Every structure is written in structure tokens, then in C-alpha cells.
Amino acid sequence: MDRTVRMLRELEGESASAEPLPGLDGLPELVRRFADAGFPGTELRVEPSGPVPREVATTIYRIVVEALTNVRKHAPAGSSVAIQVTDETGTVVVTVADHARDQAPPRLPSAGRTGVGLAGLAERVQALGGEFTSGRGAGGGWVVKAVFP
């Protein structure tokens, strides 16, 4: 059922182009453009030890896009952002942490609304058997994290 819903969402326009969606290979360009747009302290570390399934890699790209979009909306320009994609004992972990202080948290969608923003990402990650969290970082800012089996 989850795969069918995801496929229908993609047919409705999430991936309307004939080109495959970016995966881990698209992250360096995405981060470069974000840094050039006023967040020069953005750092990327991609260190999985083996191949990452395409569906997981595409979801990781979407997570980073959404997290950076929220940084742009809610954090002051110039805030530093750390993006890490690593593997830990049979899992692939993506973490996007901005280090802004006193920022407004991203708004969660209204009840019953799915497929957008952080809630949509949580659905997508769970459909792939993973876990998704987002919230305030220990030193301020916001942290988005997903763990995939």
C-alpha cells in the first residue's frame, strides 16, 4: 500500500520529469548552491562504505532539500549547516543540523495533510523501513535525522 501511495504521488507531479531524481551524487551541487545563496558555512560529508539503494539515495536527497529549505526559511542568513551521510552497523544515516540560535521551528502540517514537508519525509522514510526524527538541537538550531536499514 505504501509503495502504491508513493507511486501515485510521483505520478501527480513530485517527479514529473523523465530524468531520474538526484541521489547522493546530487548533494555536492545542491550544497554548493545553498552555500552560494547566503549560507557559506554549509558542510557536506558523504561517507557510506558501500552502495546505497537508489530509493534510499533519492529519499536522502529529498530530506536534505527539505531541511535546507527550512534553514533558509527559519534561520538567519550565514547560519552554519552540517550535512552528514554515513553508515553505522548496517544502517545508512543522514543528519542535517543547522546551528542557528533562536530560530522559529518549522511548522508542522495541519491534521490530515500528508506528503509535504517534514511529515511527508517521515512517511517516506517509514515506508522504506527507516526512522525519522526532527527537532531542536542540543545547542540550538534544528536537526533532521533519518536512519535506513
Side-chain angles (χ1 to χ4, degrees):
M1 178 91 127
D2 287 332
R3 286 186 189 271
T4 302
V5 170
R6 280 197 323 275
M7 187 173 69
L8 289 173
R9 284 190 181 144
E10 290 177 1
L11 290 174
E12 289 176 354
E14 281 189 28
S15 63
S17 79
E19 294 181 34
L21 293 172
L24 300 181
D25 57 333
L27 290 176
E29 176 62 17
L30 174 67
V31 169
R32 185 195 62 74
R33 289 184 304 169
F34 186 75
D36 289 348
F39 295 88
T42 303
E43 298 177 0
L44 172 66
R45 188 178 95 193
V46 180
E47 299 177 346
S49 61
V52 175
R54 183 74 186 156
E55 196 169 36
V56 171
T58 299
T59 301
I60 289 171
Y61 183 87
R62 287 180 173 180
I63 289 168
V64 174
V65 167
E66 181 64 25
L68 293 180
T69 298
N70 285 337
V71 170
R72 193 183 81 242
K73 287 180 183 178
H74 302 286
S79 296
S80 63
V81 181
I83 303 157
Q84 297 180 32
V85 181
T86 59
D87 52 9
E88 301 170 10
T89 54
T91 64
V92 177
V93 180
V94 58
T95 306
V96 182
D98 74 73
H99 305 291
R101 304 230 186 261
D102 302 324
Q103 71 184 37
R107 290 185 309 251
L108 295 177
S110 302
R113 191 171 158 212
T114 60
V116 295
L118 297 174
L121 290 174
E123 286 178 358
R124 189 176 299 272
V125 170
Q126 290 169 356
L128 294 171
E131 297 175 16
F132 181 87
T133 58
S134 68
R136 288 211 181 272
W142 199 260
V143 178
V144 174
K145 182 177 181 178
V147 180
F148 298 91

